[in-house]
Amino acid sequence: MLASAIDVERIFKTYADGTQAVKDVSFSVPAGQCFGFLGPNGAGKTTLMKMLFGMVRRDRRPQTRVSVLGFDPDREELAIKHLCGVVPQDDNLDAEVDVGANLFIYSKFYGLASSEARPRIAELLDFMELREKSKAKVSDLSGGMKRRLIIARALLNRPKLLILDEPTTGLDPQVRQLIWDKVRSLKREGVTVLLTTHYMEEAYQIADSIVIMDKGERVLEGDPRRLLSEGIEPWVLEVLDQDGQEASREARPSPGVRWEGSLSRALFFAESPEALREIASRYPADGTHMRPTNLEDLFLRSTGRQLNDEQ
């Protein structure tokens, strides 16, 4: 097994209209780990994923080097696809045939013989807890079942690399937790996972390392727990239904307390809850909420709270 499933050095992508979607991004993904891409819409995540999969050609620059499972996606796209499974953001199942037929038809794209495909399909239906739906039409499935079926389809060829593009968007918490458990199981089997998600908790739960991107650039990279402990204060006080600027002036934050505000909320960050309790005492109890900071707080500190043109 390769020590690194993916190595990227100084990758760029500039479109014909001059838009620079990815700017000098480097990272490495150890085999058997989950690597997450976070960023607002338009940050360059999708373009970067497509370059790794060979769907988009990167800028040709002498300092750029890209290796995916030992192959260059610009020259060996088919070799990479043969070793990958892809879970797209959109549902692209065949709604007119049943669950088992969806998987059997897709198995032919990988050249699987029927004698190999049928037991593999049964194994994957069990793995994604869909066996009882094997004869059901896709059009009759719930959103969560369709998502699980797409993941099962991506695993038909026993991929070394699984690409998950927003895998749990719109799903209820039970299905989301199930998918997280399945991803953890795949990692234990040595499968490398690339994940893009807008759910900060999802990245925190299943990613061994993340890159936060903004405007095509890498802003932060590392273990999400380490980034959280090193990149932001551990406690935050939310003052709700208050003009952020006005709340800051009223509260007169003490040294060691950092403030962020919006039109209807003020946020005070500190190293300990004690530093925030005096500020909280100045507001009605039902208008404040003290909590540990999370990855979303770090994400917003890194990328800003204002919407960009793509959002």
Side-chain angles (χ1 to χ4, degrees), residues 2 4-9 11-12 49-84 161:
L2 296 169
S4 293
I6 299 172
D7 283 305
V8 175
E9 293 181 10
I11 195 171
F12 296 77
M49 292 279 272
K50 287 181 177 180
M51 285 192 288
L52 295 179
F53 199 55
M55 295 176 64
V56 169
R57 294 288 185 259
R58 65 183 183 264
D59 293 357
R60 303 306 300 177
R61 300 193 181 208
Q63 71 269 44
T64 298
R65 189 178 73 87
V66 180
S67 173
V68 178
L69 301 175
F71 299 100
D72 184 328
D74 275 7
R75 294 184 284 105
E76 299 162 302
E77 173 188 350
L78 291 180
I80 293 171
K81 287 183 176 180
H82 184 70
L83 297 172
C84 287
L161 174 63

mmCIF file of all heavy atoms in Angstrom, residues 2 4-9 11-12 49-84 161:
data_model
loop_
_atom_site.group_PDB
_atom_site.id
_atom_site.type_symbol
_atom_site.label_atom_id
_atom_site.label_comp_id
_atom_site.label_asym_id
_atom_site.label_seq_id
_atom_site.Cartn_x
_atom_site.Cartn_y
_atom_site.Cartn_z
ATOM 1 N N LEU A 2 0.459 2.254 -0.773
ATOM 2 C CA LEU A 2 1.177 3.517 -0.797
ATOM 3 C C LEU A 2 1.072 4.200 0.559
ATOM 4 O O LEU A 2 0.033 4.178 1.211
ATOM 5 C CB LEU A 2 0.591 4.439 -1.870
ATOM 6 C CG LEU A 2 0.706 3.980 -3.329
ATOM 7 C CD1 LEU A 2 -0.148 4.867 -4.217
ATOM 8 C CD2 LEU A 2 2.148 4.010 -3.776
ATOM 9 N N SER A 4 1.166 7.420 1.003
ATOM 10 C CA SER A 4 0.233 8.520 0.731
ATOM 11 C C SER A 4 -0.632 8.144 -0.463
ATOM 12 O O SER A 4 -0.117 7.783 -1.522
ATOM 13 C CB SER A 4 0.982 9.816 0.431
ATOM 14 O OG SER A 4 1.669 10.275 1.576
ATOM 15 N N ALA A 5 -1.941 8.217 -0.264
ATOM 16 C CA ALA A 5 -2.845 7.947 -1.380
ATOM 17 C C ALA A 5 -2.871 9.109 -2.360
ATOM 18 O O ALA A 5 -3.012 8.914 -3.571
ATOM 19 C CB ALA A 5 -4.250 7.669 -0.855
ATOM 20 N N ILE A 6 -2.708 10.327 -1.833
ATOM 21 C CA ILE A 6 -2.757 11.525 -2.676
ATOM 22 C C ILE A 6 -1.657 12.484 -2.243
ATOM 23 O O ILE A 6 -1.488 12.741 -1.046
ATOM 24 C CB ILE A 6 -4.124 12.232 -2.570
ATOM 25 C CG1 ILE A 6 -5.246 11.307 -3.035
ATOM 26 C CG2 ILE A 6 -4.144 13.529 -3.380
ATOM 27 C CD1 ILE A 6 -6.633 11.857 -2.779
ATOM 28 N N ASP A 7 -0.908 12.985 -3.209
ATOM 29 C CA ASP A 7 0.082 14.031 -2.966
ATOM 30 C C ASP A 7 -0.149 15.146 -3.978
ATOM 31 O O ASP A 7 -0.163 14.899 -5.195
ATOM 32 C CB ASP A 7 1.507 13.501 -3.123
ATOM 33 C CG ASP A 7 1.955 12.695 -1.923
ATOM 34 O OD1 ASP A 7 1.892 13.227 -0.793
ATOM 35 O OD2 ASP A 7 2.349 11.521 -2.100
ATOM 36 N N VAL A 8 -0.348 16.344 -3.488
ATOM 37 C CA VAL A 8 -0.579 17.509 -4.344
ATOM 38 C C VAL A 8 0.406 18.597 -3.949
ATOM 39 O O VAL A 8 0.476 18.984 -2.775
ATOM 40 C CB VAL A 8 -2.024 18.033 -4.206
ATOM 41 C CG1 VAL A 8 -2.209 19.326 -5.001
ATOM 42 C CG2 VAL A 8 -3.021 16.975 -4.668
ATOM 43 N N GLU A 9 1.168 19.061 -4.918
ATOM 44 C CA GLU A 9 2.106 20.160 -4.683
ATOM 45 C C GLU A 9 1.804 21.304 -5.632
ATOM 46 O O GLU A 9 1.839 21.141 -6.857
ATOM 47 C CB GLU A 9 3.549 19.688 -4.905
ATOM 48 C CG GLU A 9 4.029 18.666 -3.897
ATOM 49 C CD GLU A 9 5.469 18.254 -4.144
ATOM 50 O OE1 GLU A 9 6.133 18.911 -4.980
ATOM 51 O OE2 GLU A 9 5.935 17.287 -3.512
ATOM 52 N N ILE A 11 -0.858 23.213 -6.796
ATOM 53 C CA ILE A 11 -1.812 23.065 -7.898
ATOM 54 C C ILE A 11 -2.584 24.370 -8.109
ATOM 55 O O ILE A 11 -2.925 25.074 -7.156
ATOM 56 C CB ILE A 11 -2.775 21.881 -7.623
ATOM 57 C CG1 ILE A 11 -3.507 21.478 -8.899
ATOM 58 C CG2 ILE A 11 -3.753 22.187 -6.497
ATOM 59 C CD1 ILE A 11 -4.297 20.185 -8.761
ATOM 60 N N PHE A 12 -2.827 24.684 -9.383
ATOM 61 C CA PHE A 12 -3.555 25.896 -9.775
ATOM 62 C C PHE A 12 -4.613 25.519 -10.808
ATOM 63 O O PHE A 12 -4.436 24.576 -11.579
ATOM 64 C CB PHE A 12 -2.636 26.928 -10.429
ATOM 65 C CG PHE A 12 -1.556 27.496 -9.554
ATOM 66 C CD1 PHE A 12 -0.400 26.769 -9.268
ATOM 67 C CD2 PHE A 12 -1.672 28.773 -9.027
ATOM 68 C CE1 PHE A 12 0.616 27.295 -8.489
ATOM 69 C CE2 PHE A 12 -0.656 29.324 -8.252
ATOM 70 C CZ PHE A 12 0.487 28.574 -7.978
ATOM 71 N N MET A 49 -11.514 18.881 -6.390
ATOM 72 C CA MET A 49 -11.893 17.464 -6.436
ATOM 73 C C MET A 49 -11.921 16.965 -7.875
ATOM 74 O O MET A 49 -11.473 15.856 -8.173
ATOM 75 C CB MET A 49 -13.261 17.279 -5.785
ATOM 76 C CG MET A 49 -13.274 17.524 -4.298
ATOM 77 S SD MET A 49 -12.686 16.117 -3.338
ATOM 78 C CE MET A 49 -14.202 15.221 -3.118
ATOM 79 N N LYS A 50 -12.451 17.772 -8.783
ATOM 80 C CA LYS A 50 -12.523 17.360 -10.188
ATOM 81 C C LYS A 50 -11.137 17.228 -10.802
ATOM 82 O O LYS A 50 -10.912 16.359 -11.651
ATOM 83 C CB LYS A 50 -13.370 18.363 -10.979
ATOM 84 C CG LYS A 50 -14.864 18.265 -10.686
ATOM 85 C CD LYS A 50 -15.654 19.261 -11.518
ATOM 86 C CE LYS A 50 -17.150 19.103 -11.277
ATOM 87 N NZ LYS A 50 -17.938 20.079 -12.076
ATOM 88 N N MET A 51 -10.204 18.058 -10.389
ATOM 89 C CA MET A 51 -8.837 17.921 -10.889
ATOM 90 C C MET A 51 -8.202 16.617 -10.409
ATOM 91 O O MET A 51 -7.469 15.954 -11.155
ATOM 92 C CB MET A 51 -7.993 19.122 -10.459
ATOM 93 C CG MET A 51 -8.291 20.393 -11.233
ATOM 94 S SD MET A 51 -7.059 21.707 -10.972
ATOM 95 C CE MET A 51 -7.441 22.219 -9.304
ATOM 96 N N LEU A 52 -8.490 16.217 -9.185
ATOM 97 C CA LEU A 52 -7.940 14.976 -8.661
ATOM 98 C C LEU A 52 -8.507 13.767 -9.391
ATOM 99 O O LEU A 52 -7.832 12.739 -9.539
ATOM 100 C CB LEU A 52 -8.238 14.852 -7.165
ATOM 101 C CG LEU A 52 -7.589 15.883 -6.243
ATOM 102 C CD1 LEU A 52 -8.007 15.635 -4.806
ATOM 103 C CD2 LEU A 52 -6.074 15.849 -6.369
ATOM 104 N N PHE A 53 -9.736 13.887 -9.860
ATOM 105 C CA PHE A 53 -10.405 12.765 -10.517
ATOM 106 C C PHE A 53 -10.229 12.791 -12.030
ATOM 107 O O PHE A 53 -10.697 11.910 -12.737
ATOM 108 C CB PHE A 53 -11.894 12.797 -10.163
ATOM 109 C CG PHE A 53 -12.611 11.507 -10.388
ATOM 110 C CD1 PHE A 53 -12.163 10.337 -9.819
ATOM 111 C CD2 PHE A 53 -13.731 11.461 -11.187
ATOM 112 C CE1 PHE A 53 -12.823 9.134 -10.029
ATOM 113 C CE2 PHE A 53 -14.409 10.266 -11.408
ATOM 114 C CZ PHE A 53 -13.949 9.096 -10.819
ATOM 115 N N GLY A 54 -9.557 13.828 -12.549
ATOM 116 C CA GLY A 54 -9.303 13.916 -13.980
ATOM 117 C C GLY A 54 -10.426 14.516 -14.786
ATOM 118 O O GLY A 54 -10.374 14.518 -16.020
ATOM 119 N N MET A 55 -11.446 15.070 -14.133
ATOM 120 C CA MET A 55 -12.576 15.674 -14.846
ATOM 121 C C MET A 55 -12.268 17.094 -15.298
ATOM 122 O O MET A 55 -12.906 17.609 -16.216
ATOM 123 C CB MET A 55 -13.822 15.677 -13.958
ATOM 124 C CG MET A 55 -14.347 14.294 -13.622
ATOM 125 S SD MET A 55 -15.758 14.360 -12.487
ATOM 126 C CE MET A 55 -16.960 15.209 -13.512
ATOM 127 N N VAL A 56 -11.309 17.743 -14.642
ATOM 128 C CA VAL A 56 -10.879 19.096 -14.987
ATOM 129 C C VAL A 56 -9.366 19.088 -15.065
ATOM 130 O O VAL A 56 -8.695 18.522 -14.184
ATOM 131 C CB VAL A 56 -11.369 20.128 -13.942
ATOM 132 C CG1 VAL A 56 -10.710 21.484 -14.160
ATOM 133 C CG2 VAL A 56 -12.891 20.269 -13.989
ATOM 134 N N ARG A 57 -8.803 19.688 -16.101
ATOM 135 C CA ARG A 57 -7.348 19.756 -16.261
ATOM 136 C C ARG A 57 -6.790 20.941 -15.464
ATOM 137 O O ARG A 57 -7.287 22.054 -15.549
ATOM 138 C CB ARG A 57 -6.983 19.909 -17.738
ATOM 139 C CG ARG A 57 -7.342 18.681 -18.586
ATOM 140 C CD ARG A 57 -6.402 17.529 -18.272
ATOM 141 N NE ARG A 57 -6.638 16.389 -19.143
ATOM 142 C CZ ARG A 57 -7.325 15.303 -18.805
ATOM 143 N NH1 ARG A 57 -7.873 15.220 -17.613
ATOM 144 N NH2 ARG A 57 -7.475 14.307 -19.649
ATOM 145 N N ARG A 58 -5.748 20.679 -14.712
ATOM 146 C CA ARG A 58 -5.098 21.731 -13.940
ATOM 147 C C ARG A 58 -4.253 22.602 -14.854
ATOM 148 O O ARG A 58 -3.944 22.223 -15.992
ATOM 149 C CB ARG A 58 -4.218 21.103 -12.862
ATOM 150 C CG ARG A 58 -3.048 20.294 -13.417
ATOM 151 C CD ARG A 58 -2.254 19.624 -12.300
ATOM 152 N NE ARG A 58 -1.086 18.911 -12.796
ATOM 153 C CZ ARG A 58 -1.054 17.626 -13.062
ATOM 154 N NH1 ARG A 58 -2.152 16.887 -12.902
ATOM 155 N NH2 ARG A 58 0.071 17.053 -13.497
ATOM 156 N N ASP A 59 -3.844 23.777 -14.359
ATOM 157 C CA ASP A 59 -2.896 24.622 -15.081
ATOM 158 C C ASP A 59 -1.560 23.887 -15.203
ATOM 159 O O ASP A 59 -1.104 23.246 -14.244
ATOM 160 C CB ASP A 59 -2.656 25.939 -14.332
ATOM 161 C CG ASP A 59 -3.888 26.827 -14.288
ATOM 162 O OD1 ASP A 59 -4.926 26.454 -14.882
ATOM 163 O OD2 ASP A 59 -3.817 27.894 -13.657
ATOM 164 N N ARG A 60 -0.948 23.990 -16.364
ATOM 165 C CA ARG A 60 0.351 23.350 -16.567
ATOM 166 C C ARG A 60 1.447 24.283 -16.056
ATOM 167 O O ARG A 60 1.752 25.295 -16.661
ATOM 168 C CB ARG A 60 0.571 23.041 -18.057
ATOM 169 C CG ARG A 60 -0.495 22.162 -18.676
ATOM 170 C CD ARG A 60 -0.707 20.865 -17.911
ATOM 171 N NE ARG A 60 0.480 20.040 -17.844
ATOM 172 C CZ ARG A 60 0.546 18.888 -17.178
ATOM 173 N NH1 ARG A 60 -0.495 18.464 -16.504
ATOM 174 N NH2 ARG A 60 1.666 18.189 -17.185
ATOM 175 N N ARG A 61 2.010 23.934 -14.910
ATOM 176 C CA ARG A 61 3.083 24.727 -14.308
ATOM 177 C C ARG A 61 4.193 23.771 -13.888
ATOM 178 O O ARG A 61 3.926 22.676 -13.370
ATOM 179 C CB ARG A 61 2.575 25.504 -13.091
ATOM 180 C CG ARG A 61 1.458 26.479 -13.423
ATOM 181 C CD ARG A 61 1.216 27.433 -12.277
ATOM 182 N NE ARG A 61 0.132 28.367 -12.578
ATOM 183 C CZ ARG A 61 0.032 29.582 -12.068
ATOM 184 N NH1 ARG A 61 0.973 30.023 -11.246
ATOM 185 N NH2 ARG A 61 -0.991 30.352 -12.375
ATOM 186 N N PRO A 62 5.435 24.185 -14.070
ATOM 187 C CA PRO A 62 6.550 23.263 -13.792
ATOM 188 C C PRO A 62 6.644 22.853 -12.333
ATOM 189 O O PRO A 62 7.141 21.773 -12.019
ATOM 190 C CB PRO A 62 7.787 24.051 -14.239
ATOM 191 C CG PRO A 62 7.353 25.486 -14.282
ATOM 192 C CD PRO A 62 5.904 25.469 -14.634
ATOM 193 N N GLN A 63 6.165 23.696 -11.412
ATOM 194 C CA GLN A 63 6.301 23.368 -9.990
ATOM 195 C C GLN A 63 5.171 22.485 -9.474
ATOM 196 O O GLN A 63 5.208 22.019 -8.335
ATOM 197 C CB GLN A 63 6.369 24.649 -9.146
ATOM 198 C CG GLN A 63 5.045 25.436 -9.051
ATOM 199 C CD GLN A 63 4.902 26.471 -10.136
ATOM 200 O OE1 GLN A 63 5.188 26.198 -11.294
ATOM 201 N NE2 GLN A 63 4.455 27.666 -9.759
ATOM 202 N N THR A 64 4.157 22.218 -10.309
ATOM 203 C CA THR A 64 3.007 21.436 -9.877
ATOM 204 C C THR A 64 3.284 19.943 -10.007
ATOM 205 O O THR A 64 3.816 19.484 -11.012
ATOM 206 C CB THR A 64 1.760 21.794 -10.712
ATOM 207 O OG1 THR A 64 1.439 23.174 -10.504
ATOM 208 C CG2 THR A 64 0.563 20.942 -10.312
ATOM 209 N N ARG A 65 2.889 19.202 -8.966
ATOM 210 C CA ARG A 65 2.952 17.738 -9.010
ATOM 211 C C ARG A 65 1.709 17.179 -8.357
ATOM 212 O O ARG A 65 1.326 17.598 -7.255
ATOM 213 C CB ARG A 65 4.189 17.205 -8.292
ATOM 214 C CG ARG A 65 4.410 15.709 -8.486
ATOM 215 C CD ARG A 65 5.674 15.247 -7.795
ATOM 216 N NE ARG A 65 5.508 15.213 -6.342
ATOM 217 C CZ ARG A 65 5.011 14.145 -5.669
ATOM 218 N NH1 ARG A 65 4.631 13.075 -6.330
ATOM 219 N NH2 ARG A 65 4.905 14.180 -4.370
ATOM 220 N N VAL A 66 1.049 16.234 -9.037
ATOM 221 C CA VAL A 66 -0.158 15.610 -8.505
ATOM 222 C C VAL A 66 -0.058 14.100 -8.684
ATOM 223 O O VAL A 66 0.206 13.612 -9.780
ATOM 224 C CB VAL A 66 -1.434 16.127 -9.212
ATOM 225 C CG1 VAL A 66 -2.682 15.455 -8.629
ATOM 226 C CG2 VAL A 66 -1.546 17.645 -9.093
ATOM 227 N N SER A 67 -0.258 13.369 -7.605
ATOM 228 C CA SER A 67 -0.263 11.907 -7.649
ATOM 229 C C SER A 67 -1.488 11.410 -6.889
ATOM 230 O O SER A 67 -1.669 11.738 -5.709
ATOM 231 C CB SER A 67 1.007 11.332 -7.019
ATOM 232 O OG SER A 67 0.927 9.921 -6.926
ATOM 233 N N VAL A 68 -2.338 10.631 -7.579
ATOM 234 C CA VAL A 68 -3.514 10.025 -6.961
ATOM 235 C C VAL A 68 -3.376 8.516 -7.126
ATOM 236 O O VAL A 68 -3.419 8.002 -8.249
ATOM 237 C CB VAL A 68 -4.818 10.526 -7.611
ATOM 238 C CG1 VAL A 68 -6.032 9.852 -6.982
ATOM 239 C CG2 VAL A 68 -4.927 12.045 -7.483
ATOM 240 N N LEU A 69 -3.142 7.826 -6.018
ATOM 241 C CA LEU A 69 -2.906 6.376 -6.033
ATOM 242 C C LEU A 69 -1.749 6.014 -6.968
ATOM 243 O O LEU A 69 -1.753 4.974 -7.625
ATOM 244 C CB LEU A 69 -4.179 5.637 -6.436
ATOM 245 C CG LEU A 69 -5.400 5.881 -5.535
ATOM 246 C CD1 LEU A 69 -6.631 5.201 -6.114
ATOM 247 C CD2 LEU A 69 -5.139 5.390 -4.113
ATOM 248 N N GLY A 70 -0.777 6.913 -7.051
ATOM 249 C CA GLY A 70 0.399 6.678 -7.877
ATOM 250 C C GLY A 70 0.259 7.110 -9.321
ATOM 251 O O GLY A 70 1.194 6.928 -10.112
ATOM 252 N N PHE A 71 -0.880 7.707 -9.700
ATOM 253 C CA PHE A 71 -1.132 8.104 -11.081
ATOM 254 C C PHE A 71 -1.341 9.617 -11.175
ATOM 255 O O PHE A 71 -1.802 10.264 -10.234
ATOM 256 C CB PHE A 71 -2.381 7.396 -11.630
ATOM 257 C CG PHE A 71 -2.275 5.901 -11.650
ATOM 258 C CD1 PHE A 71 -2.859 5.134 -10.648
ATOM 259 C CD2 PHE A 71 -1.580 5.259 -12.660
ATOM 260 C CE1 PHE A 71 -2.762 3.751 -10.655
ATOM 261 C CE2 PHE A 71 -1.478 3.867 -12.685
ATOM 262 C CZ PHE A 71 -2.069 3.124 -11.679
ATOM 263 N N ASP A 72 -1.024 10.161 -12.341
ATOM 264 C CA ASP A 72 -1.260 11.575 -12.634
ATOM 265 C C ASP A 72 -2.633 11.694 -13.298
ATOM 266 O O ASP A 72 -2.856 11.137 -14.367
ATOM 267 C CB ASP A 72 -0.185 12.107 -13.589
ATOM 268 C CG ASP A 72 -0.316 13.600 -13.854
ATOM 269 O OD1 ASP A 72 -1.446 14.120 -13.851
ATOM 270 O OD2 ASP A 72 0.729 14.248 -14.078
ATOM 271 N N PRO A 73 -3.585 12.408 -12.679
ATOM 272 C CA PRO A 73 -4.940 12.467 -13.238
ATOM 273 C C PRO A 73 -5.031 13.106 -14.615
ATOM 274 O O PRO A 73 -5.973 12.833 -15.366
ATOM 275 C CB PRO A 73 -5.736 13.263 -12.195
ATOM 276 C CG PRO A 73 -4.718 13.974 -11.384
ATOM 277 C CD PRO A 73 -3.498 13.120 -11.396
ATOM 278 N N ASP A 74 -4.083 13.942 -14.987
ATOM 279 C CA ASP A 74 -4.113 14.539 -16.324
ATOM 280 C C ASP A 74 -3.717 13.549 -17.411
ATOM 281 O O ASP A 74 -4.106 13.699 -18.567
ATOM 282 C CB ASP A 74 -3.168 15.754 -16.379
ATOM 283 C CG ASP A 74 -3.851 17.027 -15.893
ATOM 284 O OD1 ASP A 74 -4.982 16.934 -15.395
ATOM 285 O OD2 ASP A 74 -3.242 18.108 -16.010
ATOM 286 N N ARG A 75 -2.945 12.520 -17.048
ATOM 287 C CA ARG A 75 -2.459 11.564 -18.047
ATOM 288 C C ARG A 75 -3.007 10.150 -17.859
ATOM 289 O O ARG A 75 -3.007 9.348 -18.792
ATOM 290 C CB ARG A 75 -0.922 11.521 -18.016
ATOM 291 C CG ARG A 75 -0.263 12.824 -18.467
ATOM 292 C CD ARG A 75 1.248 12.704 -18.523
ATOM 293 N NE ARG A 75 1.842 12.739 -17.180
ATOM 294 C CZ ARG A 75 2.324 11.693 -16.548
ATOM 295 N NH1 ARG A 75 2.279 10.491 -17.114
ATOM 296 N NH2 ARG A 75 2.861 11.811 -15.352
ATOM 297 N N GLU A 76 -3.479 9.848 -16.634
ATOM 298 C CA GLU A 76 -3.894 8.476 -16.320
ATOM 299 C C GLU A 76 -5.259 8.464 -15.640
ATOM 300 O O GLU A 76 -5.485 7.783 -14.644
ATOM 301 C CB GLU A 76 -2.828 7.820 -15.441
ATOM 302 C CG GLU A 76 -1.473 7.736 -16.144
ATOM 303 C CD GLU A 76 -0.315 7.505 -15.182
ATOM 304 O OE1 GLU A 76 -0.138 8.332 -14.264
ATOM 305 O OE2 GLU A 76 0.399 6.501 -15.350
ATOM 306 N N GLU A 77 -6.165 9.232 -16.212
ATOM 307 C CA GLU A 77 -7.502 9.395 -15.650
ATOM 308 C C GLU A 77 -8.228 8.057 -15.491
ATOM 309 O O GLU A 77 -8.850 7.786 -14.456
ATOM 310 C CB GLU A 77 -8.308 10.338 -16.549
ATOM 311 C CG GLU A 77 -9.774 10.470 -16.190
ATOM 312 C CD GLU A 77 -10.536 11.255 -17.245
ATOM 313 O OE1 GLU A 77 -9.896 11.853 -18.141
ATOM 314 O OE2 GLU A 77 -11.777 11.257 -17.176
ATOM 315 N N LEU A 78 -8.168 7.202 -16.507
ATOM 316 C CA LEU A 78 -8.901 5.941 -16.458
ATOM 317 C C LEU A 78 -8.356 5.003 -15.384
ATOM 318 O O LEU A 78 -9.122 4.277 -14.741
ATOM 319 C CB LEU A 78 -8.868 5.260 -17.826
ATOM 320 C CG LEU A 78 -9.666 5.956 -18.934
ATOM 321 C CD1 LEU A 78 -9.549 5.188 -20.243
ATOM 322 C CD2 LEU A 78 -11.135 6.100 -18.538
ATOM 323 N N ALA A 79 -7.055 5.013 -15.186
ATOM 324 C CA ALA A 79 -6.457 4.167 -14.142
ATOM 325 C C ALA A 79 -6.970 4.587 -12.768
ATOM 326 O O ALA A 79 -7.252 3.739 -11.908
ATOM 327 C CB ALA A 79 -4.934 4.266 -14.196
ATOM 328 N N ILE A 80 -7.096 5.899 -12.550
ATOM 329 C CA ILE A 80 -7.611 6.402 -11.279
ATOM 330 C C ILE A 80 -9.077 6.025 -11.114
ATOM 331 O O ILE A 80 -9.505 5.551 -10.054
ATOM 332 C CB ILE A 80 -7.412 7.927 -11.185
ATOM 333 C CG1 ILE A 80 -5.915 8.259 -11.112
ATOM 334 C CG2 ILE A 80 -8.145 8.501 -9.978
ATOM 335 C CD1 ILE A 80 -5.604 9.726 -11.221
ATOM 336 N N LYS A 81 -9.872 6.215 -12.169
ATOM 337 C CA LYS A 81 -11.296 5.898 -12.084
ATOM 338 C C LYS A 81 -11.529 4.421 -11.779
ATOM 339 O O LYS A 81 -12.487 4.062 -11.084
ATOM 340 C CB LYS A 81 -11.993 6.293 -13.382
ATOM 341 C CG LYS A 81 -12.166 7.798 -13.551
ATOM 342 C CD LYS A 81 -12.925 8.146 -14.813
ATOM 343 C CE LYS A 81 -13.165 9.647 -14.902
ATOM 344 N NZ LYS A 81 -13.896 10.021 -16.123
ATOM 345 N N HIS A 82 -10.664 3.569 -12.293
ATOM 346 C CA HIS A 82 -10.806 2.140 -12.057
ATOM 347 C C HIS A 82 -10.615 1.796 -10.582
ATOM 348 O O HIS A 82 -11.155 0.789 -10.100
ATOM 349 C CB HIS A 82 -9.786 1.376 -12.908
ATOM 350 C CG HIS A 82 -9.921 -0.109 -12.815
ATOM 351 N ND1 HIS A 82 -10.982 -0.792 -13.363
ATOM 352 C CD2 HIS A 82 -9.138 -1.042 -12.213
ATOM 353 C CE1 HIS A 82 -10.847 -2.080 -13.117
ATOM 354 N NE2 HIS A 82 -9.736 -2.261 -12.430
ATOM 355 N N LEU A 83 -9.874 2.634 -9.859
ATOM 356 C CA LEU A 83 -9.568 2.363 -8.458
ATOM 357 C C LEU A 83 -10.400 3.199 -7.496
ATOM 358 O O LEU A 83 -10.211 3.118 -6.282
ATOM 359 C CB LEU A 83 -8.080 2.636 -8.195
ATOM 360 C CG LEU A 83 -7.089 1.753 -8.955
ATOM 361 C CD1 LEU A 83 -5.672 2.264 -8.756
ATOM 362 C CD2 LEU A 83 -7.206 0.301 -8.500
ATOM 363 N N CYS A 84 -11.308 4.009 -8.032
ATOM 364 C CA CYS A 84 -12.090 4.938 -7.214
ATOM 365 C C CYS A 84 -13.571 4.590 -7.218
ATOM 366 O O CYS A 84 -14.084 3.966 -8.150
ATOM 367 C CB CYS A 84 -11.941 6.366 -7.735
ATOM 368 S SG CYS A 84 -10.346 7.116 -7.400
ATOM 369 N N LEU A 161 -9.984 4.376 -3.165
ATOM 370 C CA LEU A 161 -10.283 5.772 -2.848
ATOM 371 C C LEU A 161 -11.771 6.008 -3.057
ATOM 372 O O LEU A 161 -12.308 5.739 -4.132
ATOM 373 C CB LEU A 161 -9.477 6.703 -3.755
ATOM 374 C CG LEU A 161 -9.769 8.211 -3.658
ATOM 375 C CD1 LEU A 161 -9.429 8.741 -2.262
ATOM 376 C CD2 LEU A 161 -8.998 8.981 -4.724
#
